[in-house]
Amino acid sequence: MDWQEARDTLRQWREDNSRCSEEIVEIWQDVLSNYTHKIGDEKWLVYEQVCLAALDCHRLDIAQECLEALDKQFPGSLRVRKLRAMEFEALERYDDALKLYDSILQHDESNSVIYKRKVAVLKAQNKIGEAVKELTDYLKSKFMSDHEAWMELSDLYLMEQDYNKAAFCFEELILYNPHNHLYHQRYAEIQYTIGGLENMELARAYFAQSIKLNPRNMRSLYGFFLAATNVAASPKCSALKKKENLKFAAWAALKIGQKYQDQICDDSQVKSVQGMLGVLSLNSST
């Protein structure tokens, strides 16, 4: 690879928003580091790109080289300060990183990336409660429609085993994008984890919606089968609901079997589903 091809490759990855960190570091070391004088002002974008890739790969020597060049060219730049804070993260100097992020926010309160980096720092320190507070404040202030933030907040609540609040996050996500089958699936999984007859029926309904939006979603299909099975097996379930959920479970078992019917070998999961359905039917008839 010559320097022109290397430059074009890195440019294409920037346009596609592809990290490709190991490849970028390799291209920088083998080719481009000796030809930065030939690529004009684009070299500053390359320095930034290589710095991020080097931090991903924990090549702090390369990251430091890029930071020195950027800091010399753009003294006081907020983008360079962000990279410096990320270097502090890689060095596990978390307090220094947080101070630098706070100083950036004093100049640019609308910088959503910096808020998220602060959450990442707190999460790396296992300060889940503080990370939840930081992310909650972020969503309340100006960024209510940030889908990634809602998903991250849900994951933090799940780490704390606060399932009801995690479910609330996905309720917000479903309101913003009701056609995303993964949101319905995740919400159903949380309700299934909470347990109880009402939550299990709610889980079954959202698994069903996920299947409706994407019939190929096998995880939702298994979830639908398990939720219907649990509802039918509940002692609080009426005879009519038991019969209805047995039909749901039988339909799901049939669909799961059809998904694997072209496979040469038997699938253990399908056998398990069929066995569960057989036991459930026997208990119902008894």
Side-chain angles (χ1 to χ4, degrees), residues 20 24 57 66 89 139 145 180 191 228 240 249 257 269 274:
C20 304
I24 290 171
C57 299
C66 295
E89 287 186 59
L139 286 165
S145 60
N180 188 321
Q191 293 296 340
L240 182 61
Q269 289 179 307
Q274 291 172 343

Side-chain angles (χ1 to χ4, degrees), residues 51-267:
C51 182
L52 286 170
L55 290 173
D56 285 345
C57 299
H58 208 71
R59 287 298 308 272
L60 300 182
D61 54 332
I62 296 176
Q64 183 62 30
E65 175 190 346
C66 295
L67 277 168
E68 288 177 359
L70 288 166
D71 208 18
K72 184 177 180 180
Q73 180 67 20
F74 307 102
S77 166
L78 295 182
R79 288 175 69 165
V80 178
R81 287 162 72 180
K82 183 193 80 171
L83 293 173
R84 182 68 68 184
M86 292 176 70
E87 182 192 31
F88 287 151
E89 287 186 59
L91 293 167
E92 297 186 2
R93 293 170 55 183
Y94 297 123
D95 291 339
D96 291 333
L98 287 172
K99 288 177 183 177
L100 201 46
Y101 286 139
D102 286 333
S103 71
I104 295 172
L105 289 173
Q106 287 177 359
H107 293 86
D108 183 10
E109 294 182 355
S110 62
N111 194 326
S112 62
V113 174
I114 302 303
Y115 285 105
K116 292 178 181 180
R117 293 256 37 108
K118 287 186 66 178
V119 172
V121 171
L122 293 169
K123 190 176 177 182
Q125 296 176 278
N126 202 31
K127 296 179 179 179
I128 305 303
E130 293 182 34
V132 166
K133 183 180 183 305
E134 189 73 35
L135 198 50
T136 302
D137 292 341
Y138 166 83
L139 286 165
K140 283 181 178 179
S141 57
K142 301 174 183 177
F143 307 97
M144 284 288 291
S145 60
D146 190 330
H147 298 180
E148 290 181 354
W150 280 111
M151 292 185 71
E152 179 64 24
L153 183 58
S154 176
D155 287 341
L156 292 174
Y157 280 134
L158 289 174
M159 292 173 68
E160 293 283 276
Q161 298 185 356
D162 195 339
Y163 299 113
N164 288 315
K165 290 182 179 178
F168 172 79
C169 294
F170 273 97
E171 288 172 1
E172 291 291 324
L173 286 167
I174 290 170
L175 284 174
Y176 284 119
N177 190 354
H179 302 295
N180 188 321
H181 69 100
L182 294 176
Y183 292 165
H184 291 272
Q185 172 201 308
R186 290 280 286 157
Y187 181 71
E189 289 171 346
I190 294 170
Q191 293 296 340
Y192 184 93
T193 303
I194 294 172
L197 182 59
E198 291 184 4
N199 292 322
M200 205 62 68
E201 288 181 314
L202 192 59
R204 187 202 64 209
Y206 276 87
F207 277 130
Q209 182 63 19
S210 178
I211 296 167
K212 181 179 178 181
L213 292 169
N214 180 13
R216 296 183 179 181
N217 189 330
M218 284 298 294
R219 190 179 178 107
S220 290
L221 195 55
Y222 277 116
F224 180 81
F225 170 80
L226 292 172
T229 300
N230 276 277
V231 172
S234 172
K236 296 180 180 180
C237 183
S238 65
L240 182 61
K241 280 189 176 182
K242 187 182 293 289
K243 183 178 180 181
E244 182 183 50
N245 280 277
L246 277 173
K247 289 182 179 179
F248 291 151
W251 174 85
L254 178 63
K255 290 294 182 182
I256 292 169
Q258 289 174 350
K259 296 289 184 183
Y260 291 95
Q261 66 183 354
D262 296 331
Q263 291 188 356
I264 297 174
C265 58
D266 293 331
D267 187 88

